[in-house]
Amino acid sequence: MSVVGGILAGVTRGTSSPVFVGRTAELAALGAALREAGDAESQTVLIAGEAGVGKTRLVTEFAGVATRAGCRVLVGGALELGAEGLPYTPFTAALRSLVRDIGVDAVGALVPDVGDLAPCLPELGRSDRRPGDETARAPLFEGFLQLLEGLAAQRPLVLVIEDLHWADRSTRELLVFLVRSLRTSGVLLIATYRSDDLHRRHPLRPLLAELARVPGVERLDLDRLSRPDVAAQAAGILGREPEPALVDLLVGRAEGNPLFVEALLSCEDDGRYDISESLRDLLLRTVERLPDSAQRVLRVAAAGGNRVGHRLLDAVTTENDNDLAEALRAAVEANILVVDEETFAFRHALIRETVHDELLPGEATALHQRYAEAIEADPSLVPPDRRNVEIAYHWHAAHVIDRAVTAAWAAAEDAGSTFAYAEKLALLERVLALWDRAPGAASRLPVDHVGLLEAAGQTARTAGDPARADSYATAALGELDADREPLRAAALLELRGRSRQQIGHTERFDDLREAARLAEAQPDHEMAARVLAFLAGVEMLHSLDEQARATAERALALSRRIGADGSAAHALTTLAMCDTYRGDLDGALRRFDESSELADRCGDDESLFRAMVDRSDALMGAGRYDQAIAVARSGTGRAAAAGLARNHGAFLAINVAEAQYALGQWPDAVEVIDDALALDPPPTHRRFLVQLRAAIALRRGDIDDAARTTAQYVGADLAADPIAQHRLPQFRLEAEVALASGDPARAVDLMEEAAILDPRPTPARHAWPLLAIGARACVELRAQAAALHDPPAAARADSVLSQLTDRAQGMAAANMCQEADRLTFEAERHRGDAAAELAAWDSAAALRARLAEPFEQAYAEFRAGEAAMRSGDRGGAGDRLARARGLAARLPARSLEQEITLLAQRARITIPAGPPAASTTTPSSTNGDRTTTGLTDRELDVLRLVTDGRTNREIGATLFISPKTASVHVSNILAKLGVDSRTAAAATAHHLRLFDPIDTRSTRPAARSG
């Protein structure tokens, strides 16, 4: 028997109802989730409710049900220990409980390298990972995943994480990783949180938004109890049926909050419930009924946090053993404290907060000091993973500034070693806040004030907060003499420049140039190689290709000479992008391979993720969309595990969504975009994501939504941004919105504002699409001017189109994508010249089909049909319009589909009803018989895998969708084919020859004019 168990043997709880009331539906929902987890794959339930509404009681009841059903139940909860939180606390508690249950060896048998779990539970051994290595969080996360999957293979597993609203960022990120990664059956994750604690900027909000879109995640909101439920609760507590008047009082005062009901009933005094309205008074009235010794112990316990170990409490309190035992017994009998192994926990955090707030200032200070001194004197009083953070918390609360500074620094070092960068930043910021008040302690730290600012800045950037990193770097530079310490100044300028790159500030270039100049003080130093490598990358973004190539070559040569592999990897990535812009994709891919190998070998996460981002971008620019998606997706999970989801993870998500957008996989792209936005990424990343979402809305036909989304960046000084990939997509999107709104004049204005005609270098990849939309704007303005008899507007349209044409003359098309954009530009500018226009549109449509760009192909087919009609080829026009409408309908692109239909009606061309024939220009298309099914392209992809006998999980893995999404597609396929089983669907597919290869030699060529 434990010490606590011995002291409190026979204690019963008095104020909680022994009857579980009002949660039948919620309990059934959890049971259903557990069954689904057993039948299919893991499930997650988020239980939300206001403080005191009964979240813990619900999960406790369910845990009992699950345990009786043969499940293993693990429970852990977050602690409230200040803004920094305590990394992984809920998982540590659950893991510690598991170790007590089955032993270290049994846990080790489930995880190949049990030391990977050491950051959460040091008793499991030592990790071989280097502290501060950002990639080292990945094994920790993977270790937990393997542990849960191994436990689930033995018997169903329920993992409960309580009080998620107090969880630190690392805990939240581990939870998201598990929710997204668990694909095995038999695991049910449950997390509870206070919905009324989630203020507008609460860090849990974006996580909840992200999880809401993950298949297999359900939210369960606990409402207040109804009047009958309150009556049943009161009856359970009182042991008799309550009088109607009492029920009325409880309903009026407690308003259905079970904790309020308990508090009211615990304060009954001679039949009266004469208490104040606030919960504070209710809870204090309960405490005040205890003996003085119990109240003294509760005040001591409240200073220790929501949960405090018996040995620690014994070390801090002044009560003797017998008095302490009796005081604790009274507190437990009053249901203020509950017992958990060797610890005492307040039944509700609000009770602890209320008691703590009642401490006199001097009393609170003294108690926190005693806690800190006790833990320092006997570190075994708290688990090793909590030691430094608790010492830091108590010294800070005790206002002992010198000790608070040194303790916070030590706790920050611990947080960094467990990859909890957000928590490390909070602790470093505490040191910064106290620095001037504790000169003695500050002098004993291994950094000076500039070094502390730099550490905070580096940590902020790693944690995904570049704006704070910028501020800290600027402050440090203000305190540093660059002439005396040039390399140190160069490091700070490099930090600031790269942070400003993520924020979107144009000063980034100046910072890196100055950093390179300062680094010349020691030209063979690693800092010189590092700064040169990053400067080359920024020059490349500024389209200074030859300059970037020269700088990157210098950086690469220096890096190889001094063995700076990380800098060499960055330089190789820049050179790879320069190769890409020249049209040498194969050469670029070889450089990307070398860059990734170097970065992986030296453990440089940032170099590795940059190589992934740029590689996927290069593949996408060449039209290899599926490959781009695969590369980007391979990095997103790794970025999350390394604590880099907000920056590198979000950027990789942009590339995934952009490729899906081009392929017409719009629902998938929107899901990726929303998940990335929920990470609260840096401003430049956010702008890209919002632009993509607006572009999808526009193509779907929701012009108002696209305009609203785009408007948030209108007015930003994008024209001044020297980076083409920042400014040109925004101008293109705004021009498309203007054209869709019937305002070609505004679109032409944007072409001039976009500075497409200025002499700044612009990559062809970004210039051709804008030239194409500019030509369209000019042609449509000219047509509008003719209808309105507005010669000046027509002249302006002709003038701008002439300038666009001049600009296009000196620009090459480096690959198929750029050639398709070039053909689109030529076709747009030749509108009215039927022969030239038709030839260009047909060629563009053929390339779009080869690239599998359904919207772009549909638009080209539409315009080709329009040109064929003007040339007198009505049959060819009908064929092209039918293909265009079929593609637009499948997406669906409603506005384009309506334009196609209206054109056919005006020309009195009948497009066959039903799904139209597949494009004859797509070599990879399936046979024409597919057109009788009405299946979308994605549904055909799923059906192909169904015919191969794949399960929903295998389909999801192959197509990068969730098994639930695959299941929805299968259901739609069965309905459209008119069958009731997967086997019948496969038979129908074979009967229709849906997946037989096309003999292109027998296919009628696309109609041409003349």
Side-chain angles (χ1 to χ4, degrees):
M1 180 179 291
S2 69
V3 175
V4 174
I7 292 175
L8 300 170
V11 167
T12 59
R13 299 173 66 177
T15 56
S16 289
S17 172
V19 180
F20 185 59
V21 300
R23 303 299 182 203
T24 304
E26 291 83 354
L27 195 61
L30 290 174
L34 181 59
R35 288 192 296 275
E36 186 163 354
D39 294 338
E41 61 179 33
S42 65
Q43 301 290 304
T44 302
V45 179
L46 304 174
I47 302 178
E50 66 180 4
V53 81
K55 301 180 291 297
T56 297
R57 181 67 186 269
L58 172 63
V59 296
T60 300
E61 292 291 331
F62 177 71
V65 172
T67 300
R68 290 190 292 274
C71 300
R72 184 189 304 278
V73 179
L74 299 176
V75 182
L79 301 177
E80 186 185 32
L81 281 175
E84 72 277 11
L86 191 59
Y88 310 119
T89 300
F91 293 100
T92 297
L95 190 55
R96 184 171 283 116
S97 173
L98 178 65
V99 169
R100 281 197 299 265
D101 186 22
I102 67 175
V104 172
D105 292 340
V107 173
L110 297 171
V111 182
D113 188 353
V114 75
D116 288 338
L117 299 179
C120 282
L121 195 63
E123 294 93 315
L124 294 176
R126 291 178 57 86
S127 173
D128 294 332
R129 312 293 172 180
R130 291 177 300 157
D133 182 359
E134 296 164 356
T135 60
R137 278 203 340 177
L140 169 62
F141 282 31
E142 289 291 338
F144 256 106
L145 180 64
Q146 292 167 350
L147 176 64
L148 298 188
E149 290 175 340
L151 290 171
Q154 298 173 351
R155 55 175 163 145
L157 173 67
V158 178
L159 174 60
V160 180
I161 304 298
E162 291 205 75
D163 296 324
L164 195 58
H165 53 280
W166 283 332
D168 62 285
R169 180 169 169 182
S170 296
T171 294
R172 297 194 300 270
E173 290 173 347
L174 177 52
L175 177 63
V176 171
F177 175 81
L178 293 175
V179 171
R180 286 190 170 277
S181 302
L182 273 171
R183 291 294 179 263
T184 186
S185 60
V187 181
L188 174 61
L189 300 177
I190 299 175
T192 70
Y193 65 92
R194 285 188 195 169
S195 54
D196 53 336
D197 265 11
L198 302 189
H199 54 78
R200 187 167 59 88
R201 295 186 178 180
H202 196 287
L204 187 58
R205 280 188 176 275
L207 178 144
L208 296 174
E210 177 182 358
L211 292 182
R213 291 182 292 274
V214 177
V217 176
E218 302 292 337
R219 172 169 164 163
L220 197 60
D221 290 295
L222 297 193
D223 295 325
R224 295 176 179 179
L225 299 179
S226 65
R227 190 180 191 283
D229 290 334
V230 170
Q233 182 188 10
I237 293 172
L238 297 173
R240 57 177 174 80
E241 288 296 320
E243 300 81 7
L246 175 58
V247 175
D248 290 340
L249 184 147
L250 294 174
V251 170
R253 295 278 187 162
E255 297 182 327
N257 185 299
L259 179 62
F260 282 37
V261 173
E262 291 179 3
L264 282 164
L265 290 173
S266 69
C267 292
E268 191 271 344
D269 184 15
D270 296 329
R272 295 183 296 112
Y273 299 86
D274 186 16
I275 56 177
S276 67
E277 295 285 341
S278 69
L279 177 60
R280 175 182 297 277
D281 290 341
L282 293 179
L283 296 175
L284 283 179
R285 185 72 180 272
T286 306
V287 171
E288 288 166 356
R289 293 176 61 87
L290 294 174
D292 290 344
S293 61
Q295 293 187 45
R296 288 195 302 271
V297 169
L298 280 178
R299 289 195 290 271
V300 175
N306 201 48
R307 184 182 300 274
V308 60
H310 176 262
R311 291 180 58 233
L312 177 58
L313 188 60
D314 188 28
V316 174
T317 186
T318 58
E319 307 292 325
N320 61 46
D321 289 345
N322 289 334
D323 290 343
L324 177 61
E326 289 304 313
L328 291 171
R329 181 183 297 274
V332 172
E333 287 176 342
N335 199 33
I336 297 170
L337 294 180
V338 294
V339 185
D340 177 14
E341 295 293 334
E342 299 289 333
T343 64
F344 294 95
F346 282 85
R347 177 175 54 85
H348 198 290
L350 289 178
I351 301 175
R352 187 204 72 83
E353 293 169 14
T354 303
V355 174
H356 188 272
D357 288 347
E358 289 298 303
L359 292 171
L360 297 173
E363 186 181 14
T365 297
L367 282 174
H368 283 292
Q369 180 167 338
R370 277 152 53 186
Y371 270 107
E373 290 171 341
I375 297 170
E376 287 185 337
D378 184 359
S380 69
L381 293 175
V382 295
D385 54 295
R386 291 171 49 186
R387 189 172 301 143
N388 282 332
V389 75
E390 289 210 22
I391 292 172
Y393 166 69
H394 287 301
W395 281 129
H396 187 247
H399 309 296
V400 181
I401 306 303
D402 279 15
R403 307 293 288 275
V405 166
T406 54
W409 176 264
E413 292 288 286
D414 284 353
S417 69
T418 58
F419 330 114
Y421 302 112
E423 294 74 32
K424 178 179 179 180
L425 178 59
L427 287 158
L428 290 176
E429 288 177 332
R430 177 181 293 175
V431 176
L432 281 167
L434 300 176
W435 184 272
D436 290 336
R437 298 169 59 190
S443 66
R444 293 191 296 273
L445 296 183
V447 294
D448 59 10
H449 194 251
V450 171
L452 180 58
L453 287 167
E454 181 179 9
Q458 294 286 7
T459 304
R461 189 173 182 279
T462 301
D465 195 341
R468 284 161 87 183
D470 179 7
S471 298
Y472 286 129
T474 300
L477 284 165
E479 297 181 13
L480 189 69
D481 185 341
D483 292 333
R484 295 180 59 187
E485 299 181 274
L487 289 184
R488 200 174 185 190
L492 288 167
L493 285 165
E494 177 249 321
L495 168 62
R496 189 172 71 175
R498 295 173 64 207
S499 300
R500 287 177 171 179
Q501 174 72 22
Q502 291 184 310
I503 302 169
H505 289 181
T506 57
E507 303 94 324
R508 53 190 173 252
F509 209 169
D510 296 336
D511 280 344
L512 289 172
R513 281 174 168 162
E514 177 62 11
R517 186 191 69 79
L518 290 170
E520 291 176 357
Q522 295 185 38
D524 286 342
H525 195 277
E526 184 177 357
M527 179 54 62
R530 180 181 177 87
V531 171
L532 279 175
F534 288 124
L535 177 60
V538 174
E539 288 172 340
M540 183 266 296
L541 287 174
H542 283 67
S543 306
L544 304 173
D545 294 348
E546 294 309 314
Q547 185 174 325
R549 182 179 291 275
T551 305
E553 293 285 8
R554 285 176 57 204
L556 181 60
L558 173 58
S559 298
R560 283 177 167 161
R561 188 168 70 249
I562 65 175
D565 286 349
S567 299
H570 271 292
L572 282 165
T573 296
T574 299
L575 290 169
M577 290 305 294
C578 291
D579 290 343
T580 299
Y581 291 147
R582 284 183 173 181
D584 182 9
L585 181 61
D586 291 338
L589 293 176
R590 287 192 293 271
R591 290 194 194 266
F592 281 129
D593 287 341
E594 186 179 359
S595 172
S596 298
E597 182 182 347
L598 277 176
D600 209 18
R601 188 170 67 202
C602 70
D604 189 328
D605 253 357
E606 190 145 21
S607 298
L608 180 63
F609 286 122
R610 187 194 165 207
M612 287 182 173
V613 167
D614 285 5
R615 185 189 192 105
S616 61
D617 184 69
L619 289 166
M620 186 162 48
R624 300 187 187 182
Y625 298 118
D626 289 330
Q627 294 177 40
I629 290 172
V631 170
R633 281 197 182 281
S634 70
T636 52
R638 187 167 182 173
L644 300 173
R646 287 182 67 191
N647 41 41
H648 296 297
F651 215 139
L652 287 162
I654 293 168
N655 289 357
V656 171
E658 191 173 353
Q660 291 171 329
Y661 165 72
L663 292 170
Q665 299 168 8
W666 296 344
D668 295 336
V670 169
E671 182 178 351
V672 170
I673 290 166
D674 288 344
D675 287 346
L677 287 171
L679 297 172
D680 189 23
T684 53
H685 299 11
R686 175 172 291 276
R687 185 167 73 237
F688 287 140
L689 291 162
V690 171
Q691 287 169 353
L692 270 174
R693 191 164 62 182
I696 292 171
L698 182 63
R699 292 191 169 186
R700 281 174 163 170
D702 193 342
I703 300 170
D704 291 341
D705 181 47
R708 283 193 302 270
T709 305
T710 306
Q712 63 185 290
Y713 291 111
V714 172
D717 191 15
L718 290 174
D721 194 326
I723 297 180
Q725 72 179 35
H726 289 178
R727 69 179 189 275
L728 298 191
Q730 176 67 21
F731 284 115
R732 179 189 178 192
L733 178 60
E734 289 185 40
E736 288 189 16
V737 170
L739 289 171
S741 304
D743 189 359
R746 171 60 182 156
V748 171
D749 289 343
L750 287 163
M751 290 306 100
E752 296 182 311
E753 186 181 344
I756 190 62
L757 306 178
D758 73 17
R760 283 185 292 183
T762 303
R765 173 183 174 182
H766 301 294
W768 278 121
L770 194 64
L771 286 168
I773 201 67
R776 177 182 167 191
C778 291
V779 171
E780 293 191 11
L781 177 59
R782 185 170 57 198
Q784 185 184 78
L788 298 175
H789 306 289
D790 186 354
R796 177 165 177 258
D798 289 338
S799 174
V800 173
L801 181 58
S802 176
Q803 295 176 72
L804 295 173
T805 303
D806 290 343
R807 183 65 183 271
Q809 294 303 316
M811 192 178 302
N815 53 44
M816 192 187 302
C817 280
Q818 292 177 26
E819 178 61 13
D821 287 331
R822 187 194 69 79
L823 286 167
T824 301
F825 168 74
E826 291 294 330
E828 292 284 14
R829 80 183 185 90
H830 280 112
R831 273 212 242 168
D833 181 348
E837 179 185 359
L838 181 58
W841 282 127
D842 277 340
S843 297
L847 285 181
R848 300 297 187 187
R850 290 176 61 190
L851 291 164
E853 297 176 354
F855 180 87
E856 300 294 351
Q857 182 190 348
Y859 180 76
E861 296 276 16
F862 163 53
R863 292 300 184 194
E866 188 178 45
M869 188 173 59
R870 284 199 295 268
S871 69
D873 182 6
R874 293 177 57 80
D879 289 345
R880 291 172 174 85
L881 293 178
R883 287 195 295 270
R885 192 175 73 173
L887 290 164
R890 288 171 190 163
L891 285 166
R894 298 181 185 88
S895 294
L896 180 57
E897 185 181 4
Q898 289 172 358
E899 283 192 80
I900 296 164
T901 301
L902 288 173
L903 175 62
Q905 290 173 348
R906 289 199 307 270
R908 297 183 181 179
I909 293 176
T910 301
I911 299 178
S919 169
T920 59
T921 59
T922 310
S924 60
S925 295
T926 55
N927 271 354
D929 282 341
R930 68 181 278 186
T931 64
T932 64
T933 66
L935 298 176
T936 66
D937 288 343
R938 176 43 63 93
E939 288 165 351
L940 283 165
D941 291 338
V942 173
L943 179 56
R944 188 191 300 273
L945 296 173
V946 169
T947 62
D948 290 339
R950 304 288 188 89
T951 65
N952 288 346
R953 185 175 302 172
E954 291 169 335
I955 292 170
T958 301
L959 299 179
F960 298 103
I961 59 178
S962 72
K964 279 200 169 183
T965 301
S967 175
V968 172
H969 284 310
V970 171
S971 298
N972 291 339
I973 291 167
L974 299 183
K976 289 181 178 182
L977 295 182
V979 297
D980 57 4
S981 71
R982 300 165 76 99
T983 302
T988 301
H990 285 299
H991 173 72
L992 295 176
R993 301 175 63 199
L994 292 182
F995 304 120
D996 288 355
I998 292 177
D999 183 358
T1000 56
R1001 294 171 298 176
S1002 63
T1003 303
R1004 179 173 61 86
R1008 294 187 180 276
S1009 62

